[in-house]
Coordinates of all heavy atoms in Angstrom, one line a residue:
Chain A
D412 N 100.8 -137.9 33.6 CA 100.0 -139.0 33.1 C 100.9 -140.2 32.6 O 100.4 -141.3 32.5 CB 99.0 -138.6 32.1 CG 97.9 -137.7 32.6 OD1 97.7 -137.8 33.9 OD2 97.3 -136.9 31.9
H413 N 102.1 -139.8 32.2 CA 103.0 -140.8 31.6 C 104.2 -141.1 32.5 O 105.2 -141.6 32.1 CB 103.5 -140.3 30.2 CG 102.4 -140.2 29.2 ND1 101.6 -139.1 29.1 CD2 102.0 -141.1 28.3 CE1 100.8 -139.3 28.1 NE2 101.0 -140.5 27.6
G414 N 104.0 -140.7 33.8 CA 105.0 -141.1 34.8 C 106.3 -140.2 34.7 O 107.4 -140.6 35.2
I415 N 106.2 -139.0 34.3 CA 107.3 -138.1 34.1 C 107.0 -136.8 34.9 O 105.9 -136.3 34.8 CB 107.6 -137.9 32.7 CG1 108.1 -139.2 32.0 CG2 108.7 -136.8 32.5 CD1 108.3 -139.2 30.5
T416 N 108.1 -136.3 35.5 CA 107.9 -135.0 36.2 C 109.0 -134.0 35.7 O 110.1 -134.4 35.5 CB 108.1 -135.2 37.7 OG1 107.3 -136.3 38.1 CG2 107.6 -134.0 38.5
Y417 N 108.6 -132.8 35.6 CA 109.6 -131.7 35.2 C 110.3 -131.2 36.4 O 109.6 -131.0 37.5 CB 108.9 -130.6 34.5 CG 108.5 -130.8 33.1 CD1 107.2 -131.3 32.8 CD2 109.4 -130.7 32.0 CE1 106.8 -131.5 31.5 CE2 109.0 -130.9 30.7 CZ 107.7 -131.4 30.5 OH 107.4 -131.6 29.2
A418 N 111.6 -131.1 36.4 CA 112.3 -130.5 37.5 C 112.3 -129.0 37.3 O 112.5 -128.5 36.2 CB 113.7 -131.1 37.5
Q419 N 112.1 -128.4 38.5 CA 112.1 -126.9 38.4 C 113.5 -126.3 38.4 O 114.4 -126.7 39.1 CB 111.3 -126.4 39.7 CG 111.1 -124.9 39.6 CD 110.5 -124.4 40.9 OE1 110.1 -125.2 41.8 NE2 110.5 -123.1 41.1
G420 N 113.7 -125.4 37.4 CA 115.0 -124.8 37.3 C 115.8 -125.2 36.1 O 115.6 -126.3 35.5
Q421 N 116.7 -124.3 35.7 CA 117.6 -124.5 34.5 C 118.7 -125.5 34.9 O 119.2 -125.5 36.0 CB 118.2 -123.2 34.0 CG 119.0 -123.4 32.8 CD 119.6 -122.0 32.3 OE1 119.0 -121.0 32.6 NE2 120.6 -122.1 31.6
L422 N 119.0 -126.4 33.9 CA 120.0 -127.4 34.1 C 121.4 -126.8 33.6 O 121.4 -126.2 32.5 CB 119.7 -128.6 33.2 CG 120.7 -129.8 33.3 CD1 120.6 -130.5 34.7 CD2 120.5 -130.7 32.2
Y423 N 122.4 -127.0 34.4 CA 123.7 -126.6 34.0 C 124.6 -127.8 34.0 O 124.4 -128.8 34.8 CB 124.3 -125.6 35.1 CG 123.6 -124.2 35.0 CD1 122.5 -124.0 35.8 CD2 124.1 -123.2 34.2 CE1 121.9 -122.7 35.8 CE2 123.4 -122.0 34.1 CZ 122.3 -121.8 34.9 OH 121.7 -120.5 34.9
D424 N 125.5 -127.8 33.1 CA 126.4 -129.0 32.9 C 127.8 -128.5 32.5 O 128.0 -127.3 32.1 CB 125.9 -130.0 31.9 CG 126.4 -131.4 32.1 OD1 127.3 -131.5 32.9 OD2 125.9 -132.3 31.4
Q425 N 128.8 -129.4 32.6 CA 130.2 -129.0 32.3 C 130.4 -128.9 30.8 O 131.3 -128.1 30.3 CB 131.1 -130.0 32.9 CG 130.9 -131.4 32.4 CD 131.8 -132.4 33.1 OE1 132.6 -132.1 34.0 NE2 131.8 -133.6 32.7
D426 N 129.6 -129.6 30.0 CA 129.8 -129.6 28.5 C 128.9 -128.5 27.9 O 127.8 -128.8 27.4 CB 129.4 -130.9 27.9 CG 130.3 -132.0 28.4 OD1 131.5 -131.7 28.7 OD2 129.8 -133.2 28.6

Side-chain angles (χ1 to χ4, degrees):
Chain A
D412 289 339
H413 293 83
I415 292 169
T416 311
Y417 284 96
Q419 185 186 352
Q421 184 180 337
L422 181 76
Y423 290 92
D424 202 353
Q425 60 186 3
D426 296 328

